Amino acid sequence: MKNAKIIREEILKEGKLTLELKKKYFPGDDFKKIRDQLEELGLDRHMILVLDSVEIALVTPLGIIMQIRPKDHDQLGLWGGVLLDGETPEDGAVRELYEETGIQISKEQLEFVEVNEHFHEYASGDKGIFTSHRYIV
């Protein structure tokens, strides 16, 4: 990796992989590739990544439809995920809902609820601080 020492020092200075450092050194890379590269730099592959994300609640007359997350100790959760580089929250919500459920919606069908920042540790040990844009459909 080009400039590995500089990248490593900048990440260690922050104590986590910030959005700015992700955009600067890992543009377009997915979680797994970033974590592999952190390990190549001699850093903890499970260190905190700061990420922009979306969550979508499907609301029906009978209630909210949620998913069981097997990779996350079978916890209940909303649909969603991390935004791609340059993607708006609305575009990300439409994409994630389709990828995870096969349900195609338009941006106009999204009702914005809030932006929420939260920490999450996965069963794998991966950690993230998510700035999540939450919507209902």
Side-chain angles (χ1 to χ4, degrees):
M1 179 178 280
K2 189 177 175 183
N3 301 317
K5 184 177 179 184
I6 294 169
I7 296 169
R8 187 178 193 290
E9 288 174 3
E10 282 192 57
I11 294 170
L12 284 172
K13 180 181 174 187
E14 292 294 331
K16 60 185 172 250
L17 184 63
T18 64
L19 283 173
E20 293 78 19
L21 291 173
K22 179 186 177 296
K23 288 175 185 172
K24 183 175 180 180
Y25 295 119
F26 308 98
D29 291 348
D30 65 20
F31 276 107
K32 183 174 180 348
K33 187 170 182 180
I34 290 171
R35 294 204 180 279
D36 289 345
Q37 290 176 31
L38 290 173
E39 198 167 50
E40 289 173 19
L41 290 167
L43 297 169
D44 178 7
R45 72 176 290 110
H46 301 297
M47 77 182 326
I48 295 172
L49 303 183
V50 180
L51 301 160
D52 281 328
S53 63
V54 294
E55 293 177 300
I56 307 99
L58 291 175
V59 180
T60 74
L62 298 176
I64 298 174
I65 301 172
M66 301 180 82
Q67 65 175 313
I68 297 173
R69 297 182 175 268
K71 292 182 180 178
D72 213 7
H73 303 294
D74 289 336
Q75 292 182 1
L76 286 176
L78 301 175
W79 281 274
V82 175
L83 294 176
L84 303 175
D85 287 346
E87 188 174 45
T88 67
E90 295 83 6
D91 288 336
V94 169
R95 176 186 54 78
E96 284 287 347
L97 189 64
Y98 181 73
E99 286 177 1
E100 295 186 8
T101 68
I103 298 171
Q104 183 68 56
I105 62 166
S106 67
K107 292 189 283 189
E108 293 73 32
Q109 291 174 277
L110 293 169
E111 182 180 329
F112 176 76
V113 176
E114 68 178 349
V115 174
N116 174 275
E117 186 173 289
H118 61 279
F119 171 83
H120 188 79
E121 183 169 350
Y122 293 90
S124 66
D126 291 347
K127 299 172 209 56
I129 296 175
F130 296 89
T131 300
S132 186
H133 302 258
R134 293 181 171 168
Y135 298 91
I136 60 173
V137 176

